[in-house]
Amino acid sequence: MSFDTLGLHEALIKAVTDSGYDTPTEVQGKAIPPALAGRDLMVSSSTGSGKTASFILPALQRILAARGDNTKRREKGVVYGPRILVLTPTRELAMQVAKAADTYGRHAQGLRVATVVGGVPYPAQIKALRGPLDILISTPGRLLDHLQTGKAVLENVEVLVLDEADRMLDMGFIEDIQTIAEHVPQSRQTLMYSATFAGHVGRLAQSLLKDAERIDVSSHTDTHENIEQRLHWADNSTHKNALLDHILTERDMEQAVVFTSTQRDADWLADRLADMGHAVASLHGGMPQGRRNRVLQGLRTKHLRVLVATDVAARGIDVPSISHVINYGLPMKAEDYVHRIGRTGRAGRNGLAVTLAERMDTGMIRRIQQFTTQNIPVAIVSGLEPKSPEPKIFAPRPEAKFGGKQFGRGNDFSKRPGKPFAPRRDAGFAPRRDEGFAPRRDQGFPPRRDEAFAPRRDQVFVPRDAAARGPFDRKPAEQGAFAARNGGAGKPAPRPGGKPGFKPQRGFSR
Ligand code: AMP
């Protein structure tokens, strides 16, 4: 199949060709024709599958088709608002979508794309909302703020896109999305992307979509053939740190994203690695957007070799030179494992995804293996072998049956007969470990709505000493602060690795 056969405008085909793509990916091949025909879509497709282009290209086509019909938009003093509205769970993903809109819309003259996300000042956003606009990409919390103050006009939206809808619901955005959808005309086209359409995501789809076509370019059972997965068992956190240090100094390590379970662990670990001389920074939802952008830019320009990140902040990172993903702290949900490892092996390259697990992580490893229907092969670093016996990962219930390809050692789930096993992808509103629902006493501001469990307006905040800080150095956490990893139970935070206290990270210095 080629892009010529999909019915796209030549300006879009040219932009796609400029980007070096000649063949549509599976999701593009399946979603673009019905989207161009005006159908509502429910699409399951993993990140890295080319899903952004699968909705941005049809959206751009609509804008091109409407060119010449812009007289109304030029009426003085009339705020017309966007034709296309894309909602994303995180600011990073919003930026990614905006970048794709600019890339694929580069031959659409005068294309106007704006992003309205939390954590950045309001005035520029208000100005952008007032001006002529084709595509608006936004996180729900901030857009709702602008709706409530009358700054955002959505009455001329023709296409509403919900990207990673399951994640938006996990983050507590359901009411915001419903309110936003009420401000968008009923006659709109709605394209909804989600890993799952079970449970509350399915109910939301039912209420927002009309006669939708379901496209499932299945994601979680993808074998990620270009990503090698490894599991290292660690006896304790000291052993885990030694394994991490070894992996980060391997010769084939170009750039790595190290995932932690909490924001606090991300800061702590980035400090530790900076002390060791790595070019490292942390990235998490407790950081102001400006700094998050600078960190991502540092990663793209290779000033940073290691990024220590939490799940929410790392979503949407598309940096082809990331050779390693290291799970230092395990994710809260099995599907996050898939999102994490998808940060490597991008743009046709190979990647390595290493998981460092302690005995207490056994249950999560089992859930990940059930979810992906793959075993993660166990590996050993010579000289750093675990002293404890390898924990046994119990097979799923005997009636379990999986469709995915098996590899590696251990249980062969596929040989077990019986009832299909449904992984609990749709685990509901469980708070995420990295979303900081524990009191953040060290920062003096409450958790943000788009990152936090407690629903809260997506307001601007400026940490007290932000002005005094450079782009990558961070505010030391106070000793004895409560850790999110303790569930805010009031115990002093144990440092991973047992190291008490804190040494300030030295940012980029090697
Ligand atoms: P996404 O799933 O939207 O995050 O896209 C993942 C990556 O695939 C991005 O780097 C895109 O630039 C790239 N991509 C999009 N469409 C194609 C295509 N048809 N062929 C190859 N790569 C693509």
Side-chain angles (χ1 to χ4, degrees):
M1 196 191 275
S2 93
F3 278 101
D4 298 340
T5 60
L6 298 180
L8 288 167
H9 192 287
E10 61 183 42
L12 302 178
I13 297 178
K14 191 161 182 292
V16 168
T17 314
D18 290 350
S19 302
Y21 311 139
D22 46 18
T23 316
T25 62
E26 190 181 355
V27 66
Q28 291 164 1
K30 288 187 171 160
I32 291 174
L36 289 178
R39 291 282 308 266
D40 280 6
L41 300 181
M42 294 161 72
V43 186
S44 296
S45 175
S46 58
T47 149
S49 62
K51 72 178 166 78
T52 314
S54 79
F55 62 78
I56 278 294
L57 288 169
L60 288 165
Q61 179 109 336
R62 212 177 247 268
I63 290 160
L64 287 168
R67 287 283 192 256
D69 176 29
N70 281 348
T71 38
K72 227 166 139 193
R73 286 166 177 264
R74 294 204 192 91
E75 277 171 42
K76 228 177 158 169
V78 177
V79 179
Y80 197 80
R83 277 187 204 280
I84 313 292
L85 173 62
V86 183
L87 295 180
T88 70
T90 64
R91 303 170 242 190
E92 275 73 19
L93 197 58
M95 301 299 175
Q96 206 74 46
V97 174
K99 201 171 129 219
D102 287 337
T103 303
Y104 300 123
R106 68 166 73 105
H107 300 300
Q109 271 191 349
L111 180 72
R112 288 150 309 201
V113 179
T115 51
V116 160
V117 295
V120 291
Y122 283 79
Q125 294 185 346
I126 291 169
K127 194 164 167 232
L129 287 168
R130 225 185 295 129
L133 202 51
D134 293 308
I135 304 182
L136 176 64
I137 303 149
S138 188
T139 47
R142 180 56 69 91
L143 181 58
L144 193 65
D145 284 354
H146 288 299
L147 263 181
Q148 281 165 348
T149 55
K151 304 286 187 225
V153 171
L154 302 179
E155 63 199 39
N156 294 301
V157 169
E158 295 171 21
V159 183
L160 171 65
V161 182
L162 304 170
D163 195 9
E164 300 200 357
D166 53 332
R167 176 55 53 114
M168 287 197 275
L169 297 204
D170 282 352
M171 293 166 94
F173 281 136
I174 187 154
E175 283 173 16
D176 295 3
I177 294 171
Q178 282 163 337
T179 309
I180 290 166
E182 280 163 20
H183 285 78
V184 176
Q186 282 283 333
S187 57
R188 65 170 187 265
Q189 178 184 18
T190 311
L191 309 176
M192 187 162 168
Y193 286 70
S194 179
T196 174
F197 282 93
H200 57 291
V201 192
R203 286 191 289 280
L204 181 70
Q206 251 181 358
S207 72
L208 297 184
L209 281 75
K210 291 184 291 287
D211 185 28
E213 183 171 327
R214 177 85 172 92
I215 293 170
D216 190 353
V217 183
S218 239
S219 53
H220 69 293
T221 54
D222 279 357
T223 48
H224 291 284
E225 268 158 14
N226 58 337
I227 302 172
E228 184 188 340
Q229 299 176 65
R230 283 185 204 159
L231 172 61
H232 288 280
W233 287 109
D235 294 324
N236 48 41
S237 50
T238 310
H239 185 204
K240 190 157 87 167
N241 286 332
L243 287 166
L244 175 69
D245 297 344
H246 173 85
I247 295 161
L248 290 180
T249 49
E250 275 177 341
R251 248 196 306 159
D252 57 355
M253 211 291 278
E254 202 175 337
Q255 279 182 304
V257 179
V258 182
F259 282 96
T260 58
S261 306
T262 66
Q263 297 181 355
R264 188 170 296 274
D265 283 358
D267 283 342
W268 173 85
L269 187 59
D271 286 333
R272 180 182 164 275
L273 295 175
D275 282 351
M276 294 175 67
H278 289 285
V280 57
S282 59
L283 183 79
H284 58 67
M287 294 162 48
Q289 187 58 30
R291 206 163 89 231
R292 282 160 75 168
N293 290 344
R294 285 193 293 278
V295 167
L296 283 174
Q297 191 56 20
L299 194 68
R300 277 188 211 107
T301 54
K302 298 209 178 174
H303 287 94
L304 287 174
R305 195 162 164 266
V306 182
L307 181 73
V308 186
T310 58
D311 288 290
V312 168
R315 279 216 160 202
I317 295 178
D318 185 9
V319 180
S321 45
I322 295 170
S323 56
H324 286 54
V325 163
I326 302 166
N327 293 310
Y328 181 88
L330 262 68
M332 183 77 170
K333 291 164 95 186
E335 72 187 67
D336 286 336
Y337 174 83
V338 179
H339 284 289
R340 286 179 175 197
I341 70 170
R343 298 305 110 213
T344 183
R346 294 184 81 81
R349 298 195 186 193
N350 291 327
L352 179 63
V354 183
T355 299
L356 306 175
E358 294 177 58
R359 181 169 287 278
M360 64 186 173
D361 300 317
T362 309
M364 194 63 220
I365 297 291
R366 191 186 65 228
R367 287 199 291 284
I368 289 168
Q369 296 192 152
Q370 285 180 348
F371 182 72
T372 60
T373 70
Q374 296 168 25
N375 282 344
I376 312 173
V378 175
I380 285 170
V381 172
S382 139
L384 288 174
E385 297 85 354
K387 294 197 176 58
S388 328
E390 186 180 310
K392 186 162 171 46
I393 305 278
F394 290 103
R397 281 167 291 147
E399 66 270 26
K401 184 177 144 204
F402 296 97
K405 183 180 154 189
Q406 304 298 315
F407 65 81
R409 44 188 280 180
N411 310 314
D412 184 353
F413 303 146
S414 65
K415 296 227 167 72
R416 296 173 188 278
K419 242 167 58 188
F421 169 85
R424 283 193 51 81
R425 287 203 285 174
D426 178 34
F429 288 93
R432 301 169 46 80
R433 273 205 276 179
D434 66 331
E435 279 156 14
F437 62 99
R440 290 192 51 84
R441 301 200 323 181
D442 60 325
Q443 304 256 340
F445 54 84
R448 306 174 47 77
R449 186 187 189 154
D450 63 341
E451 310 278 336
F453 177 55
R456 194 179 160 264
R457 193 59 42 77
D458 192 21
Q459 291 159 336
V460 175
F461 61 79
V462 181
R464 268 171 302 175
D465 61 347
R469 278 182 270 146
F472 292 107
D473 51 356
R474 292 166 300 87
K475 180 181 188 294
E478 285 168 14
Q479 288 187 31
F482 298 146
R485 72 205 308 261
N486 283 346
K491 293 182 203 137
R495 300 290 179 188
K499 188 172 146 188
F502 175 88
K503 281 200 185 142
Q505 181 191 349
R506 287 190 303 272
F508 268 12
S509 60
R510 279 177 181 272

